[in-house]
Amino acid sequence: MKMDQPRYLAVKVLNRVYKGAYSNIELNNALENHSMKHQDAGLLTQIVYGTLQHRLTLRYDLTPFVKRPKGLQQWVIILLETALYQMIYLSRIPNYAILKESIQIAKERGNQGARRLVTGVLHSVIRKGVPDVKKLPDKLTQLSVAYSVPTWLVKELINQVGADKTLQILQSINQPSSVSVRVNTVLTDVTAVKNSLTNEGYSVEDSSLAENSLIVSGASVAQSDEFKRGLITIQDQSASLPVESMDIQPDEKVLDACAAPGGKTCQIAERIDPKRGGLVYALDLHQNRLNRVKKNAKRLHVNHAVTTKMLDARKAGQFYSTQSFDQILVDAPCSGLGLIRNKPEIRYFKSIDDVNRLHQIQTQILASVAPLVKVNGTITYSTCTILDQENQDTIKAFLDHNDNFDVVKTTIKHSVHGQNQFKYLKLYPDDFKSDGFFVCTLKRVK
């Protein structure tokens, strides 16, 4: 069997992800390092993301057939999960093809014992079928297994948004994601990019959520001429809303307190004119992440408007004077649970303890940067999570100790649920089939 065969690579990628690697990075590495047909690359992507999305479901399905899973090597469990995913969710692929290659992988990666086990389990699944989720003892567990989301997260969502909305979110997060790009208005405009991408063979739609964003399908848009020339950047339409909501003027000094990988930094920089005194100050804890900010800014031709500094945002007050900035963006470190469709492993690697710990970090960052914004200036706070603890609870904790700030309306161009001004802009993964996001605007009033 060739080592660049998509099923073989899927097991290899998932084995690394289950040990803590990021699925998107590992998948991109596999695609870049192996020459594959477009169809094979698509199958690899489907198997990796699909298996991750349905991991808890697949493990439940395998329970009657794998008596001692803890005694098996991880890659064997993953191989069974990938095979089962294809059998259940990719109906276009015949079972004999899945069995043949899965058994061959077991033989080549392991030994005859692994081959016999994989053969026996998969044939048993075909004969007997998978267990019924409805036979699980309670509704919470049924939802957890059916949609492959940990029970703690299902419970939190039900408590915060209700059972009906939770079900809508759960039903959406395992659906295929869309790719959205933001147009670099320094170099071009939405109409020109839409026409040129269409001429390259992409299917392009206007975003109904974000200004200057397009929904693109087809081949990898990162390989497009527009991307290479810096005319567009890949950015979820939800992720562009925090900066869209900021009324940035060309002469303003803006602090991006948690900048990497730089999508929002560059979005700010597009509105800044250094010749008029404007500049974006981008902070991050790690230099390698700041290097990504620089790389993105250079590709988008806005690097002249960006300066970077390796710095923990909680120590910003040690390096910048009070009232140094007209505006501050705190795109805070968070659990990332709003990204659950595009980064499905997040749901398995986060806990309620992580959420509570991040809430503390977020309040510390806000407290640190608050003195740095001018009176009548604003702090835009955003996260890519959907839990209250990291969103409005963080805002409340900040306001409880900072009576010189008020929440003011966050305004965006397009209407969301019939309005375009919000005390808290909250987007869930099912609303626009985009990432979940939260945005709040804090104005310094004294």
Side-chain angles (χ1 to χ4, degrees):
M1 174 176 287
K2 294 181 179 180
M3 298 300 103
D4 61 356
Q5 198 267 354
R7 292 182 176 88
Y8 186 95
L9 286 175
V11 174
K12 189 176 181 180
V13 168
L14 287 166
N15 201 37
R16 290 175 176 168
V17 173
Y18 285 11
K19 292 178 181 177
Y22 293 108
S23 60
N24 59 328
I25 294 175
E26 289 299 323
L27 181 59
N28 287 340
N29 288 340
L31 292 170
E32 289 175 3
N33 295 332
H34 297 86
S35 179
M36 283 186 285
K37 297 177 182 178
H38 178 71
Q39 184 177 0
D40 285 343
L43 178 60
L44 170 60
T45 302
Q46 273 193 307
I47 294 174
V48 169
Y49 283 130
T51 302
L52 281 172
Q53 288 173 331
H54 299 281
R55 180 182 176 186
L56 297 184
T57 312
L58 296 169
R59 293 204 167 181
Y60 172 75
D61 291 342
L62 286 169
T63 302
F65 309 103
V66 181
K67 302 303 181 185
R68 292 183 294 274
K70 292 183 179 179
L72 297 177
Q73 294 183 66
Q74 180 171 265
W75 71 265
V76 177
I77 294 293
I78 293 171
L79 176 59
L80 290 169
E81 290 172 357
T82 59
L84 196 56
Y85 166 73
Q86 295 169 75
M87 292 163 64
I88 296 173
Y89 298 99
L90 301 183
S91 57
R92 71 181 187 278
I93 302 177
N95 283 343
Y96 72 82
I98 300 167
L99 263 66
K100 179 182 177 181
E101 293 200 8
S102 298
I103 292 168
Q104 186 65 26
I105 292 169
K107 180 180 177 181
E108 294 192 8
R109 283 206 58 157
N111 51 37
Q112 288 299 327
R115 181 192 63 79
R116 286 193 295 268
L117 183 140
V118 170
T119 302
V121 168
L122 296 182
H123 279 291
S124 294
V125 170
I126 292 172
R127 286 198 313 270
K128 300 178 181 179
V130 296
D132 187 355
V133 171
K134 294 180 181 178
K135 292 183 179 180
L136 287 164
D138 59 82
K139 187 66 175 178
L140 186 64
T141 307
Q142 289 176 16
L143 288 171
S144 171
V145 172
Y147 297 102
S148 196
V149 175
T151 52
W152 75 265
L153 181 52
V154 178
K155 187 176 181 179
E156 283 296 314
L157 287 172
I158 291 173
N159 289 339
Q160 294 182 17
V161 301
D164 291 344
K165 180 64 173 178
T166 296
L167 182 59
Q168 292 171 15
I169 293 171
L170 295 178
Q171 289 173 336
S172 77
I173 58 174
N174 294 331
Q175 298 300 314
S177 60
S178 60
V179 175
S180 54
V181 300
R182 181 176 55 77
V183 175
N184 182 0
T185 55
V186 170
L187 302 179
T188 185
D189 58 61
V190 172
T191 301
V193 168
K194 187 175 181 181
N195 290 338
S196 60
L197 284 173
T198 300
N199 290 336
E200 275 196 62
Y202 293 92
S203 176
V204 187
E205 300 176 20
D206 293 319
S207 169
S208 61
L209 177 60
E211 183 182 26
N212 300 325
S213 289
L214 297 167
I215 312 300
V216 182
S217 57
S220 171
V221 74
Q223 301 302 316
S224 68
D225 183 59
E226 289 76 14
F227 183 86
K228 294 173 182 177
R229 291 166 56 200
L231 304 182
I232 58 173
T233 191
I234 299 171
Q235 185 178 39
D236 190 82
Q237 49 187 336
S238 294
S240 69
L241 293 178
V243 176
E244 181 183 315
S245 74
M246 300 167 69
D247 185 22
I248 298 169
Q249 301 304 309
D251 60 347
E252 288 186 333
K253 290 180 171 59
V254 181
L255 176 67
D256 188 353
C258 312
K264 298 178 185 66
T265 305
C266 295
Q267 191 177 359
I268 295 169
E270 290 174 22
R271 305 186 186 185
I272 293 293
D273 184 358
K275 293 179 180 178
R276 297 173 60 179
L279 197 62
V280 189
Y281 297 76
L283 308 182
D284 198 85
L285 268 170
H286 306 289
Q287 187 58 50
N288 63 322
R289 288 170 58 82
L290 282 176
N291 290 340
R292 292 181 64 190
V293 176
K294 293 178 181 179
K295 182 179 179 180
N296 284 328
K298 185 176 181 180
R299 183 179 63 82
L300 294 168
H301 304 273
V302 294
N303 49 308
H304 62 291
V306 177
T307 183
T308 63
K309 185 174 185 61
M310 187 175 71
L311 179 66
D312 186 335
R314 290 172 291 184
K315 299 179 180 179
Q318 298 177 19
F319 291 88
Y320 299 107
S321 302
T322 58
Q323 300 195 52
S324 295
F325 300 102
D326 299 285
Q327 296 199 58
I328 296 176
L329 172 64
V330 177
D331 187 44
C334 68
S335 61
L337 291 168
L339 311 179
I340 202 167
R341 182 186 291 110
N342 288 310
K343 296 182 178 179
E345 69 272 18
I346 284 176
R347 68 187 88 180
Y348 312 120
F349 297 156
K350 298 296 182 182
S351 69
I352 191 65
D353 290 338
D354 293 320
V355 170
N356 293 329
R357 176 181 58 83
L358 285 160
H359 163 77
Q360 297 299 325
I361 293 172
Q362 293 154 359
T363 55
Q364 291 165 8
I365 292 173
L366 282 174
S368 173
V369 303
L372 307 183
V373 71
K374 296 176 182 178
V375 175
N376 294 319
T378 58
I379 298 175
T380 299
Y381 175 82
S382 63
T383 72
C384 55
T385 191
I386 54 177
L387 294 182
D388 292 348
Q389 292 95 321
E390 300 178 74
N391 294 333
Q392 54 261 49
D393 290 358
T394 295
I395 296 298
K396 182 179 184 303
F398 170 75
L399 292 175
D400 284 345
H401 296 91
N402 294 272
D403 62 0
N404 56 332
F405 282 84
D406 286 338
V407 174
V408 297
K409 295 287 187 181
T410 294
T411 303
I412 59 175
K413 180 179 179 180
H414 294 306
S415 176
V416 175
H417 307 311
Q419 56 181 319
N420 71 336
Q421 291 188 321
F422 309 85
K423 178 180 180 181
Y424 302 130
L425 174 56
K426 294 192 284 186
L427 292 168
Y428 294 93
D430 62 306
D431 291 337
F432 289 85
K433 303 298 182 286
S434 63
D435 291 340
F437 240 85
F438 174 88
V439 188
C440 177
T441 306
L442 298 159
K443 183 176 181 178
R444 184 171 182 176
V445 294
K446 59 183 178 181

